[in-house]
Amino acid sequence: MDFDFVIVGGGVYGMATAYHLARLGAGSVVVIERDEPAAGASGGVGKRGVRANRRDLRELPLMREANRVWPTLHEELDGETGYERTGGTYLIEGPASTGFKGIDAAESYARAQSALGVPTELWDRDRVRSEYPGISDEVQAASFVPTDGVASHEATTLSYAAAAQRRGVQVLTGTEVVELRTDGAGRIAGVLTAKGEIIGARREVLLLANGGVRRLVAEVTGRDLPLWTIYPLACTLRTSSSVHIPRLTGHETRPLSVKMTGEHIMLSGGWRGRATPGGPEVVPERLRGNIEVLQRVFPYLADLEVITADASRAETASVDQIPIIGRCAPNLFVACGWSGHGWAIAPVVSRLIAEDIVMDAPSPLLAPFSPRRFEL
Ligand SMILES: Cc1cc2nc3c(=O)[nH]c(=O)nc-3n(C[C@H](O)[C@H](O)[C@H](O)COP(=O)(O)OP(=O)(O)OC[C@H]3O[C@@H](n4cnc5c(N)ncnc54)[C@H](O)[C@@H]3O)c2cc1C
């Protein structure tokens, strides 16, 4: 079985890039997924943050473009994305003794973000309290980006998958790629699956398999990308209190990220699960720690009941906390190392990857993420 493009990984990146390759009429495309679409970081309950606020500045040009795409993506895909432009807030605390030093940093971030096309406002104490009644007295200010929001990761990934398939992309589920195959000239000729089948790639193999990328690249190129696997913790909570968290909300100095999904609170913020021989698991003390931070910032949330807690979705982190996007061999394109924030930029990055490959025109927006940055 031969295709022009062989994509490994059926998360948002695999499905969205397949969609764009097909949209550009680039040739035949197959997506090979070990499990099922959205089985990894791009699936699961709730929504993910579509956040520009306090993102690495090198990613802001991508976010500016993503903010343009998200509101109408459901029309383009003719499928659900669950996108809502809630606006996004970063809360700032600073004990009076420090003279609210956080504000100086926030002003600088606001200037830099605004200059890069992400208009950012600063809110004072009163404004924060009018937006978040009942918030802790320790919160002194906030930076606010009106274009931030949330979207359903699983629904969007499945909408990309359906749109790709309508354009002729083949999706092989339950099929693990165990090895990349080269021809005598050092090109990647195709992939070997766990079923023993070789699937040939006439033009390019795209490794969009998140935690599955590092080993496959190392084995075929000898390059060990500076990546590791993390298991971000996310939970949903119920409360009898009336909740005033109207926006995607992060915190400058506390590990907290919170949003509403319907009537439930969705909570994360950099806490991690633990890898065990039986698979990743939720660590009860860390779940408690995450909830305690939420209650410290929103003290009225006294009664919280955990509905779901999940740390099973593997993500990759890179040493400099920005993604790795580019070629690791002449026809081997890699994208991974999202470092916990790959979701928001996926609609734009996937389009740029497809355009880069088809038109042989590398986008300057992807240049900062090249794997070459790790070479002398
Ligand atoms: C709990 C959590 C919260 C997050 N919150 C946010 C957020 O608020 N905002 C944000 O921007 N980002 C967020 N992220 C990050 C974001 O979800 C990911 O960066 C993004 O979904 C990665 O997409 P992907 O397609 O690269 O990877 P994945 O969705 O993980 O897809 C990779 C796929 O490859 C498959 N695969 C792996 N190896 C092989 C193989 N050898 N053969 C075949 N298939 C293989 C896997 O089964 C998987 O389905 C969060 C992530 C997690 C886990």
Side-chain angles (χ1 to χ4, degrees):
M1 212 177 352
D2 276 11
F3 294 84
D4 291 309
F5 299 96
V6 173
I7 295 179
V8 184
V12 69
Y13 279 92
M15 292 308 184
T17 306
Y19 162 74
H20 284 293
L21 286 170
R23 184 183 59 78
L24 293 167
S28 56
V29 183
V30 65
V31 178
I32 307 175
E33 165 55 46
R34 171 173 66 191
D35 201 319
E36 58 187 32
S42 307
V45 295
K47 294 194 173 187
R48 299 256 189 268
V50 176
R51 172 181 63 82
N53 207 355
R54 295 303 180 96
R55 188 173 270 270
D56 189 293
L57 292 188
R58 288 163 289 186
E59 293 182 14
L60 280 194
L62 297 170
M63 267 316 298
R64 189 186 53 213
E65 183 60 14
N67 281 334
R68 219 178 43 73
V69 174
W70 272 110
T72 54
L73 186 59
H74 61 288
E75 290 166 14
E76 178 182 343
L77 300 180
D78 194 17
E80 222 186 296
T81 63
Y83 175 74
E84 290 170 75
R85 184 157 279 182
T86 58
T89 314
Y90 241 64
L91 304 174
I92 298 163
E93 284 183 21
S97 59
T98 69
F100 309 140
K101 282 219 172 80
I103 303 289
D104 291 341
E107 279 172 354
S108 298
Y109 272 105
R111 274 200 308 281
Q113 290 180 182
S114 300
L116 288 167
V118 177
T120 308
E121 300 166 18
L122 279 187
W123 289 352
D124 63 11
R125 261 184 85 83
D126 291 346
R127 177 72 191 271
V128 174
R129 272 153 195 79
S130 72
E131 300 279 342
Y132 290 87
I135 200 166
S136 154
D137 205 41
E138 292 171 305
V139 177
Q140 308 294 346
S143 65
F144 172 62
V145 169
T147 46
D148 278 359
V150 297
S152 164
H153 41 304
E154 186 155 317
T156 306
T157 303
L158 297 181
S159 294
Y160 269 120
Q165 284 172 295
R166 283 197 300 274
R167 287 174 183 262
V169 170
Q170 281 202 42
V171 178
L172 303 180
T173 56
T175 307
E176 183 174 12
V177 169
V178 291
E179 199 179 298
L180 303 182
R181 287 293 170 94
T182 52
D183 62 15
R187 282 184 83 260
I188 311 296
V191 302
L192 173 68
T193 72
K195 298 171 182 167
E197 196 176 5
I198 291 180
I199 299 175
R202 285 187 286 264
R203 290 182 61 181
E204 188 104 19
V205 172
L206 293 92
L207 280 186
L208 308 178
N210 212 353
V213 171
R214 182 177 164 192
R215 180 184 66 78
L216 291 170
V217 170
E219 281 175 2
V220 80
T221 67
R223 270 186 87 167
D224 194 5
L225 294 170
L227 291 171
W228 66 97
T229 300
I230 56 173
Y231 298 95
L233 171 64
C235 65
T236 49
L237 305 164
R238 193 179 1 237
T239 178
S240 62
S241 317
S242 79
V243 187
H244 310 288
I245 304 178
R247 314 184 186 287
L248 175 66
T249 302
H251 196 291
E252 188 181 52
T253 45
R254 296 189 191 274
L256 175 72
S257 172
V258 58
K259 58 181 91 69
M260 298 304 293
T261 54
E263 304 203 323
H264 297 150
I265 299 169
M266 187 167 179
L267 177 65
S268 57
W271 300 77
R272 306 275 185 250
R274 178 167 51 206
T276 73
E281 59 180 33
V282 172
V283 182
E285 311 86 78
R286 296 183 194 161
L287 176 60
R288 262 200 310 280
N290 201 348
I291 292 172
E292 280 165 16
V293 171
L294 177 71
Q295 290 175 320
R296 172 96 188 232
V297 178
F298 300 98
Y300 61 87
L301 293 176
D303 68 321
L304 286 169
E305 183 195 342
V306 177
I307 309 170
T308 63
D310 184 22
S312 67
R313 308 260 165 190
E315 166 80 332
T316 44
S318 76
V319 277
D320 50 5
Q321 299 293 296
I322 56 169
I324 299 173
I325 307 170
R327 285 203 171 87
C328 286
N331 65 328
L332 178 63
F333 202 101
V334 163
C336 55
W338 307 108
S339 306
H341 43 90
W343 172 252
I345 53 178
V348 170
V349 172
S350 56
R351 175 170 62 74
L352 296 176
I353 292 173
E355 288 173 2
D356 181 334
I357 289 171
V358 172
M359 297 163 195
D360 200 19
S363 165
L365 297 192
L366 295 185
F369 313 107
S370 165
R372 292 212 188 109
R373 72 183 187 272
F374 304 116
E375 294 165 8
L376 265 180

